[in-house]
């Protein structure tokens, strides 16, 4: 009599639920060899009805009848479930990879320390929408083959050899990892063991757990670790050593209660993401935080398996704060931002934010990941709370200020900016934000007035130079330019007056000068340009003075296509003779070139320059006059 | 051109029954197909858009099949979005482990420009393992490596991760095809990518933006009304000869080439029918091809000249060189100020500000405030956020602890006029601050003595890529470490660079002088510039190495700074 029982937890719509499968094995006296699947009695109609949907990847569970009361060990790594969401209660598809039995006749040998716990790589080719779970069982290779060969059921129907191969490899690894368990387990089936195969509660178990992080691999590494690497894992903080000792103890209790059910039946548990609390104690997939992180990491290790969905690696079972933090610290130590974020999402879902924030404070790497995650997923509110909790008030203010960028309506934006004024910016930034608000406020007023004036068609300048764009949201200097262009002569009392803008925003003299110069030159209002320089005539002189060096002034004028007539006035004011000559030559201000050479008493240059001016022109005559002038003492 | 175009263009995709290609963006999908496949980078925002598409379809009762292919890998956070939006299961996901795109014989790009922002600004290590994966891939195909060197914390973490991968996987005995590997973080050297590029390929990138090894020349270059896309790599014979040249040599080279071409064409004069036939069948096609390329590159050079003379490039370069040398800082500051006042170029101003800050190890508080204010006034107050980003990354900062100096300075300043006060300020501050860059520059001899004439046609060192004014720090480090076979003797330098340096020897060591041993893989985390690649090519020729550059993306000053702009939502 062989019985295969399956308990099947139905999925709630839209949630991920545990699936429980229970096989009941033939009694100890039965030694009839491998049972054909047809001999199994299933006590669940659910099983058959649900598994009808399974993909062709799933494998029949295989049960060994030779050895009595054999434990099935769950190797939960490949437990990656892709559950149907959105309203469907049916679990579509399932796949169970081959049960393996490790030979029970294997002589007890020394413990295979290097096997590692649960070293099975993830990344199995789970077809989307299916359930993948692997059930590991001890069974000799020969037996296994015998079964698969004799069976009319074809277990493997993988599309490609590759996948099969790597699956085998994974399984091999998994088998290795539990070999020691088999050996230990041979005499006393119910001995409590951890999933690394060490008896739970033994000292060696806890030591090994502690050492696990550093000594996963025994063989000499090809490349050394970098000794200077600062340990990112804050051991004292995560309480690694203490917690593992405590956890060792806790685990044994857990197992105690579990072992009752363990004696003559074996349960296999599918991955659990949203597990009801009441069932917690039945839970056997008991990886340490480190192992779990390893599994998350391995989700990407197997390059060949691109369809492996590792997100179902269970994080929900880490319920104590210590475990959660260990998980986080191991993730950080592994330098994988993806896994760090995965753990953080879990922590965010399962911890009160105050607690999470507090713990993140001392974990800068994790904190930055969390901030980036919140930024990317636009969880503005939580992010602000976090920054507040961290006391990063300036960042908080800037983050809030940033919101204005997505507001398109100018009035709303203005109101929003106004609300930003009270934010805790630095003193310096606070002025800038104030200016930003004031600027937009004025732009709105000026824009409304000018649009009307333009439509009215009565204001000359808007007719002659139609506005190309609205002034809204333009930088301050652009606004100043605009005001210098369209509202130059206005009295300081109006919002659109350049002088008003200059005073309100404390624009530097030089900056104002450059902008006004460019605007008036663009309009070819040369008298305005001239007035800019003579505004500071003290003692009655009309000497031109400029906060900007004159060669820059010339540059600005020339870019606005000022005529030579205008240009030469300013070229003449350039202090540096060489610069003056080169600019004058470039701009064809002959008079300046000629008089500079005269002043320098450079006859040769003057002769040379004569060849460059037009024959018979006024400059040529002037040069000739100079060359014929006997009064000048030429230096050459 | 996008990486996808390089791998599978539209006609290839059409052969595989793809009806139409859309860009994933925030808007409703118009496609009528029953199957939608999204090929995306794993970004939360993009996944959210896709969820919107799916949910919109659901709302109107439309049934489609959706598949998301994440490249190079899926992220948990993205799947969490699918779950939260209630479309997990409706959408199937997959991964395309796309790691390296060969842009040329010696350039492999990961085409991951976001690495720079995510890693250095946001501090998110999500791409480290992608880089590690690329290294692992190269190792499994061309390894084993005999030596690994590196500097920077990301390099170190990438190395650690890769080492674990190597230990976990089995290694077959294979002949080593790559000698050493050098990993370098971009933040080790920000100066080099912020300098104006003057080597031809770099200039093309600065001006026309090379995308995936392909440039689009507009009508001003082609002197027709059409734009032309040109692949830029060693297959282009003309380009291959000028890409590493200083721009001042390019014109001469091109005109020489044009003359040669003319001579080759002229050969046909006086040919008999038979000779003409051979000429047409054998040479003419090559000549025509060369002709086409030549005219394109001449057009490009002309366009570059036009643009650069318009913006006073010469003066800009001079100011840059002054910053690198540490001379006439006051003048440079007022140059930048004027640049800002005249609203010349938002990016150029920012670039110069950053260059000033890095080379001077921060700005004096009063300069910082005044330049920041003027910048915000000229280019928009939104750039508050940009400044915050730059400060966070250390690219544009205020000098600390200069308060005491300011007091002193203002006392002195009252006694003398403004200009002198500025000079005195310089004198005081140079006593107080020790710029890391200056110290590095001295120790590594980055700025050659300026009194010597530098012949750009016969470059004597890597400084030629910056007109002889500066040897790129990144490349100098590589040179020194390879020469010394490690970091011995560079302790002072690594201290100034924040450490995280390493040099490790692998188990398998091939004969020291084999060709493979001279092949060096240089991995830039966070991007490298074409100028740096040119410098490495020069170094390779000079020292007998062959460099292969692996980079997360090819970058330049604009791309680098654009990633840090805060004035977009």
């Amino acid at each position: 009599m062989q019985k295969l029982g399956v308990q099947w937890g139905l999925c709630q719509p839209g949630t991920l639920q545990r699936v429980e499968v229970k096989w009941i094995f033939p009694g100890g006296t039965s030694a009839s060899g491998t049972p054909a699947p047809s001999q199994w009695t299933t006590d669940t109609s659910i099983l058959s009805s649900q598994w009808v949907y399974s993909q062709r990847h799933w494998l029949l569970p295989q049960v060994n009848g030779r050895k009595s009361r054999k434990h099935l060990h769950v190797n939960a790594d490949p437990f990656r479930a892709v559950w149907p969401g959105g309203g469907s209660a049916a679990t579509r598809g399932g796949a169970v990879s081959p049960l393996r039995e490790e030979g029970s006749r294997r002589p007890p040998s020394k413990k295979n320390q290097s096997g590692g716990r649960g070293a099975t790589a993830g990344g199995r080719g789970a077809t989307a929408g299916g359930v993948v779970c692997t059930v590991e069982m001890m069974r000799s290779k020969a037996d296994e083959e015998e079964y698969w060969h004799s069976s009319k059921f074809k277990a493997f129907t993988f599309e490609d050899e590759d996948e099969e191969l790597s699956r085998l490899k994974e399984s091999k690894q998994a088998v290795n990892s539990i070999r020691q368990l088999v050996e230990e387990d041979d005499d006393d089936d119910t001995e409590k063991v951890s999933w690394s195969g060490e008896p739970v509660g033994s000292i060696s178990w806890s030591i090994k757990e502690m050492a696990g992080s550093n000594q996963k691999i025994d063989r000499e590494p090809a490349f050394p670790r970098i000794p200077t690497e600062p340990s990112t894992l804050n051991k004292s903080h995560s309480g690694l050593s203490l917690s593992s000792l405590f956890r060792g103890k806790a685990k044994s209790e857990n197992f105690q209660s579990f072992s009752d059910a363990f004696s003559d039946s074996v349960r296999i548990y599918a991955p659990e993401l949203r597990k009801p609390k009441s069932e917690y104690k039945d839970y056997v997939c008991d990886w340490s935080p480190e192992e779990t992180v390893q599994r998350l990491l391995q989700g990407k290790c197997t390059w060949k398996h691109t369809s492996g969905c590792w997100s179902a690696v269970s994080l929900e079972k880490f319920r104590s704060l210590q475990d959660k933090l260990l998980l986080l610290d191991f993730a950080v130590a592994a330098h994988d931002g993806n896994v760090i974020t995965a753990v953080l999402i879990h922590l965010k879902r399962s911890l009160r934010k105050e607690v999470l924030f507090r713990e993140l404070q001392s974990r800068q790497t994790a904190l930055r990941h969390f901030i980036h995650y919140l930024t990317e997923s636009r969880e503005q509110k939580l992010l602000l709370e976090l920054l507040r909790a961290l006391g990063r008030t300036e960042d908080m203010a800037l983050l809030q200020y940033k919101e204005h960028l997505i507001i398109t309506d100018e009035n709303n934006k203005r109101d929003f900016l106004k609300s930003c004024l009270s934010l805790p910016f630095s003193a310096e930034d606070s002025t800038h934000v104030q200016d930003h608000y004031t600027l937009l406020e004025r732009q709105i007023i000026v824009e409304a007035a000018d649009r009307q004036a333009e439509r009215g068609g009565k204001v000359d300048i808007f007719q002659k130079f139609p506005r190309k764009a609205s002034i809204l949201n333009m930088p301050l200097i652009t606004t100043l330019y605009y005001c210098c262009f369209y509202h130059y002569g206005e009295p300081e009392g109006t919002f659109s007056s350049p002088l008003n803008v200059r005073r309100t925003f404390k624009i530097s003299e030089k900056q104002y000068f450059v902008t006004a110069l460019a605007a008036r030159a663009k309009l070819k209002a040369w008298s305005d340009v001239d007035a800019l320089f003579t505004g500071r005539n003290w003692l009655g002189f009309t000497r031109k003075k400029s906060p900007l060096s004159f060669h820059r002034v010339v540059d600005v004028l020339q870019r606005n296509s000022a005529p030579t007539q205008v240009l030469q006035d300013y070229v003449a004011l350039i202090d540096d003779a060489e610069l003056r000559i080169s600019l004058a030559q470039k701009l064809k201000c002959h008079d300046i070139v000629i008089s500079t050479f005269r002043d320098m008493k450079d006859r040769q240059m003057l002769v040379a320059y004569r060849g460059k001016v037009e024959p018979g022109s006024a400059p040529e005559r002037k040069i000739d006059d100079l060359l014929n002038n006997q009064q000048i003492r030429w230096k050459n | 051109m996008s990486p996808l175009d390089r791998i599978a263009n539209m006609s290839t995709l059409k052969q595989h029954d793809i009806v139409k290609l859309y860009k994933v963006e925030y808007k409703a999908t118009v496609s009528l197909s029953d199957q939608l496949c999204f090929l995306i980078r794993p970004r939360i925002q993009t996944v959210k858009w896709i969820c919107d598409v799916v949910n919109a379809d659901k709302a109107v009762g439309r049934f489609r099949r959706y598949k998301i292919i994440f490249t190079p890998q899926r992220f948990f956070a993205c799947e969490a979005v699918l779950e939260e939006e209630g479309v997990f299961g409706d959408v199937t996901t997959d991964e395309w482990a796309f790691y390296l795109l060969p842009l040329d014989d010696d350039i492999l790009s990961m085409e991951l420009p976001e690495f720079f922002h995510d890693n250095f600004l946001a501090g998110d290590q999500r791409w480290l393992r992608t880089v590690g994966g690329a290294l692992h891939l190269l190792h499994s195909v061309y390894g084993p490596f005999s030596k690994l060197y590196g500097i920077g914390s990301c390099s170190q973490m990438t190395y650690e991760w890769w080492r674990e991968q190597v230990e976990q996987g089995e290694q077959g005995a294979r002949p080593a095809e790559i000698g050493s590997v050098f990993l370098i973080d971009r933040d080790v050297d920000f100066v080099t990518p912020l300098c104006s590029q003057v080597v031809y390929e770099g200039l093309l990138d600065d001006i026309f933006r090379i995308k995936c090894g392909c440039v689009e020349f507009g009508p001003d270059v082609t002197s027709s009304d059409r734009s032309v896309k040109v692949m830029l790599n060693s297959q282009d014979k003309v380009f291959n000869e000028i890409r590493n040249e200083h721009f001042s040599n390019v014109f001469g080279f091109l005109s020489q080439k044009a003359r040669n071409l003319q001579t080759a064409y002229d050969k046909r004069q006086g040919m008999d029918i038979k000779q003409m036939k051979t000429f047409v069948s054998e040479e003419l096609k090559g000549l025509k091809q060369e002709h086409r390329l030549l005219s394109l590159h001449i057009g490009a050079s002309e366009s570059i000249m036009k643009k650069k003379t318009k913006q006073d490039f010469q003066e800009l370069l001079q100011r840059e060189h002054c910053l690198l040398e540490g001379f006439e800082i006051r003048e440079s500051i007022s140059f930048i100020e004027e640049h800002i006042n005249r609203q010349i170029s938002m990016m150029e101003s920012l670039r110069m500000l950053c260059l000033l800050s890095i080379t001077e190890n921060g700005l004096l508080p009063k300069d910082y405030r005044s330049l920041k204010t003027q910048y915000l006034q000229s280019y928009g107050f939104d750039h508050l956020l940009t400044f915050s980003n730059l400060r966070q990354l250390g690219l544009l900062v205020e000098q600390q602890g200069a308060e005491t100096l300011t007091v002193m300075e203002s006392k002195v300043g009252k006694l003398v006029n403004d200009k002198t006060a500025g000079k005195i300020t310089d004198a005081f501050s140079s006593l107080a601050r020790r710029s890391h860059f200056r110290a590095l520059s001295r120790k590594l001899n980055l700025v050659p003595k300026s009194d010597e004439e530098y012949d750009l046609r016969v470059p004597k060192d890597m400084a030629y890529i910056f007109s002889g004014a500066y040897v790129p720090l990144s490349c100098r480090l590589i040179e020194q470490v390879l020469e010394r076979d490690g970091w011995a003797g560079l302790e002072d330098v690594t201290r100034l660079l924040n450490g995280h340096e390493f040099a490790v020897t692998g188990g398998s060591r091939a004969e020291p002088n084999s060709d493979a041993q001279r092949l060096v893989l240089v991995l830039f985390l966070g991007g490298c510039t074409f100028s740096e690649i040119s410098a490495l090519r020069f170094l390779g020729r000079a020292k007998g190495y062959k460099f292969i550059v692996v980079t997360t993306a090819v970058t330049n000053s604009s791309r680098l700074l654009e990633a840090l702009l805060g004035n977009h939502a």
Side-chain angles (χ1 to χ4, degrees), chain A residues 385-397:
Chain A
E385 281 178 68
L386 171 63
L387 292 174
R388 186 176 298 125
L390 295 168
R392 287 166 58 170
T393 51
E394 268 185 51
D395 291 341
M396 204 177 93

Side-chain angles (χ1 to χ4, degrees), chain A residues 262-392:
Chain A
F262 217 58
S263 53
D264 60 356
S265 73
V266 178
R267 293 180 182 197
I268 300 138
Y269 295 95
E272 307 195 18
L273 283 170
R274 302 282 153 79
K275 190 166 51 63
K277 281 177 192 170
S278 58
E279 288 171 33
Y280 184 70
K281 65 173 185 177
D282 286 346
Y283 196 71
V284 295
C285 301
D286 196 17
W287 304 310
S288 71
E290 187 194 359
E291 286 163 326
T292 305
V293 167
Q294 279 304 319
R295 271 155 219 281
L296 286 172
L297 290 170
Q298 281 160 7
K300 266 313 296 170
C301 290
T302 42
W303 307 113
K304 283 171 196 156
H305 292 283
T306 51
S307 57
C309 173
W310 44 268
S311 60
V313 171
S314 168
L315 296 178
E316 263 71 3
K317 67 194 166 65
F318 297 101
R319 308 192 66 190
S320 76
L321 180 60
Q322 225 155 25
D323 276 357
K324 288 178 202 284
L325 295 177
L326 268 175
L327 208 55
L328 187 58
D329 291 340
F330 278 118
V332 169
H335 311 314
D336 187 338
N338 180 31
V339 173
I340 297 172
T341 309
V343 173
L344 283 168
I345 291 174
H346 165 62
L347 297 197
K348 176 178 163 251
R349 286 172 182 171
S350 62
L351 283 176
R352 196 157 63 89
K353 56 185 181 256
E354 287 79 4
V355 178
L356 177 59
F357 295 170
R358 187 189 68 212
E359 297 300 337
L360 284 177
Q361 217 149 15
S362 57
R363 292 170 170 80
Q364 282 304 310
T365 308
L367 176 64
R368 296 186 77 185
H369 280 82
F370 194 54
I371 290 176
H372 193 218
Y373 169 69
L374 293 180
T375 312
E376 273 204 301
S377 52
R378 306 201 176 221
E379 294 189 52
Q380 180 87 349
K381 207 166 146 255
L382 190 60
L383 187 50
L384 286 172
E385 281 178 68
L386 171 63
L387 292 174
R388 186 176 298 125
L390 295 168
R392 287 166 58 170

Side-chain angles (χ1 to χ4, degrees), chain A residues 117 208-216 225 233 235 240 290 330:
Chain A
R117 283 160 290 159
K208 201 179 153 205
E209 164 136 334
M210 282 162 64
S213 59
N214 299 323
Q215 296 174 347
K216 282 185 300 261
R225 270 173 181 271
L233 187 61
K235 290 203 175 185
L240 176 63
E290 187 194 359
F330 278 118

Side-chain angles (χ1 to χ4, degrees), chain A residues 4 44 71 95 99 124 144 183 219 239 242 282 305 327 374 376 394-395 433 458 488 490 506 525 548 583 601 621 631:
Chain A
L4 173 68
T44 57
H71 292 177
L99 300 173
R124 186 170 309 251
E144 189 185 15
E183 288 152 8
R219 77 174 151 103
L242 264 181
D282 286 346
H305 292 283
L327 208 55
L374 293 180
E376 273 204 301
E394 268 185 51
D395 291 341
V433 175
K458 293 215 175 86
Y488 194 59
E490 285 178 15
K506 298 191 186 71
L548 191 68
L583 260 178
K601 314 251 187 271
R621 277 197 301 279
Q631 309 253 293

Side-chain angles (χ1 to χ4, degrees), chain B residues 177-315:
Chain B
E177 289 179 64
I178 293 174
S180 349
V181 177
F182 196 106
L183 290 92
I184 182 166
D185 284 17
R186 184 70 274 172
D187 65 354
V188 166
D189 175 15
F190 276 137
V191 173
T192 307
L194 286 174
C195 290
S196 298
Q197 305 195 67
V198 283
V199 166
Y200 185 64
E201 192 169 11
L203 258 177
L204 284 185
D205 192 30
D206 273 1
I207 292 178
F208 301 102
R209 298 218 163 199
I210 301 174
K211 289 184 191 120
C212 264
C214 176
V215 74
E216 187 167 353
F217 287 135
D220 57 326
V221 172
T222 57
S223 46
S224 67
D225 50 355
R226 284 188 315 123
S227 294
V228 180
K229 281 188 179 171
V230 187
M231 296 297 293
L232 294 176
N233 53 39
S234 49
Q235 305 291 308
D236 178 340
K237 292 285 180 296
V238 178
F239 176 68
N240 197 35
E241 286 184 72
I242 52 174
R243 67 195 307 187
N244 301 313
E245 290 291 323
H246 189 271
F247 190 62
S248 59
N249 298 336
V250 169
F251 265 123
F253 177 85
L254 288 177
S255 59
Q256 179 60 44
K257 200 88 186 159
R259 275 197 295 278
N260 294 351
L261 195 66
Q262 190 61 52
T263 328
Y265 270 126
D266 287 347
K267 270 202 311 195
R268 71 185 192 279
Q269 252 118 50
M271 279 182 183
D272 59 25
I273 293 289
K274 201 174 164 211
Q275 284 169 318
M276 187 67 102
K277 200 177 161 194
T278 354
F279 175 79
V280 170
S281 62
E282 282 169 15
E283 282 178 63
L284 193 60
K285 194 167 171 245
L287 288 176
K288 275 195 168 159
Q289 169 77 357
E290 203 177 324
H291 188 158
R292 195 183 73 89
L293 293 172
L294 201 55
S295 62
L296 275 176
H297 288 295
I298 290 174
S301 304
E302 276 173 351
S303 174
I304 290 172
M305 280 302 279
K306 236 183 267 168
K307 283 186 181 123
K308 289 298 186 189
T309 41
K310 210 168 148 193
Q311 61 161 76
D312 270 332
F313 193 49
Q314 200 53 47
E315 196 176 356

Side-chain angles (χ1 to χ4, degrees), chain A residues 567-585:
Chain A
L567 281 176
Q568 66 182 10
D569 285 355
Y570 298 94
V571 174
L573 292 167
I574 297 173
D575 278 341
D576 185 60
E578 302 235 339
L579 199 59
R580 184 163 70 232
I581 291 178
S582 74
L583 260 178
Q585 287 188 340

